[in-house]
Amino acid sequence: MKQPPWWKSPSPSKPSLPTTWPPSSWPVPLGVVYTVGVQLGAHALERLGPETRDRLVRRCSTNVDNLDAGRWETLLGSAFTVEEPMPLPYALLLVAVLGYAEYAYGAWWTAAVFLFGHAAATLLVYGALRGRADRETRRALDVGTSYGFNTVLGALTSALPRGRVRGAARVGLLVLAARPVVKRGRTFTDAGHLVALGLGLGISLAVDCLSGANHQKIGLDRPA
């Protein structure tokens, strides 16, 4: 059989590298790993007794006293600590939001947005409280997943269909987050949730401006 000329011979195939991490064959979404890990940590803290639990949670808290003392490691530790096990509906919602963000944009994007929102919202609230908070507020427990969750939720609106659906989702989320802030008895965490959501919506608007094309995962997107 006549062989093709050497210049037309197919080049040897090269092993392809995964373009995202974790690869599609990753057995468990990282959002599930994170949520389960936080839940197991909360159950472990419960077994240590109230005094030990309170001491460890306060050590991880991003309250004014800790940040004033330069305990910046709490910006990370507080994202993996909760005062008590999360209610099942919230845990499932956290898994759903993080899982869909990981599906739509990748694990690294989701983790970066989550940690950025958690740290940035915490620092903005800290800046507002510093110098004016009373002693109780300065020592308040401030841990949990909610700031990062709200940021990812807001950023994920960029994966919705363009136009009215996306705009209505953004307005609706802002209204829901703002309601606790305007009520009596609000806490600084209510304001933190609104700030975190605003950061996420800002990220989603940046994604809108930078993409300029249909989302690769969502086939319903169409030009506005």
Side-chain angles (χ1 to χ4, degrees):
M1 180 181 295
K2 186 177 180 181
Q3 299 294 327
W6 63 269
W7 61 85
K8 294 185 179 180
S9 299
S11 58
S13 60
K14 298 180 180 179
S16 58
L17 298 177
T19 56
T20 59
W21 182 261
S24 57
S25 59
W26 190 261
V28 181
L30 294 187
V32 175
V33 175
Y34 169 75
T35 304
V36 172
V38 171
Q39 285 287 69
L40 291 177
H43 285 291
L45 284 174
E46 282 190 330
R47 294 178 174 273
L48 297 177
E51 294 183 1
T52 303
R53 168 188 163 279
D54 184 72
R55 184 174 67 254
L56 291 176
V57 173
R58 287 191 180 280
R59 188 178 298 175
C60 296
S61 178
T62 50
N63 55 35
V64 176
D65 279 352
N66 277 345
L67 293 179
D68 272 350
R71 300 188 183 99
W72 302 109
E73 70 278 2
T74 59
L75 289 173
L76 180 62
S78 59
F80 295 87
T81 307
V82 291
E83 298 179 49
E84 56 188 17
M86 295 178 286
L88 182 59
Y90 175 77
L92 293 176
L93 183 60
L94 179 63
V95 168
V97 169
L98 296 182
Y100 191 77
E102 186 175 339
Y103 163 77
Y105 291 111
W108 285 128
W109 185 92
T110 304
V113 170
F114 185 95
L115 293 176
F116 165 76
H118 176 82
T122 297
L123 290 175
L124 289 171
V125 172
Y126 162 69
L129 293 176
R130 190 182 185 191
R132 67 181 67 179
D134 55 31
R135 184 174 182 273
E136 182 179 356
T137 302
R138 292 181 62 89
R139 299 179 67 251
L141 296 178
D142 189 15
V143 294
T145 65
S146 57
Y147 287 0
F149 166 79
N150 277 277
T151 304
V152 174
L153 182 63
L156 198 54
T157 58
S158 59
L160 294 173
R162 289 182 184 269
R164 294 181 180 179
V165 173
R166 191 176 300 182
R170 287 168 173 164
V171 172
L173 288 174
L174 280 174
V175 170
L176 289 176
R179 286 183 61 186
V181 178
V182 300
K183 289 183 177 181
R184 293 182 179 180
R186 61 184 177 272
T187 65
F188 67 87
T189 55
D190 293 327
H193 295 155
L194 179 59
V195 170
L197 180 66
L199 291 171
L201 292 176
I203 293 173
S204 74
L205 292 173
V207 170
D208 286 355
C209 294
L210 294 175
S211 63
N214 291 345
H215 193 282
Q216 60 178 350
K217 295 289 186 183
I218 310 300
L220 299 177
D221 205 3
R222 58 179 181 274

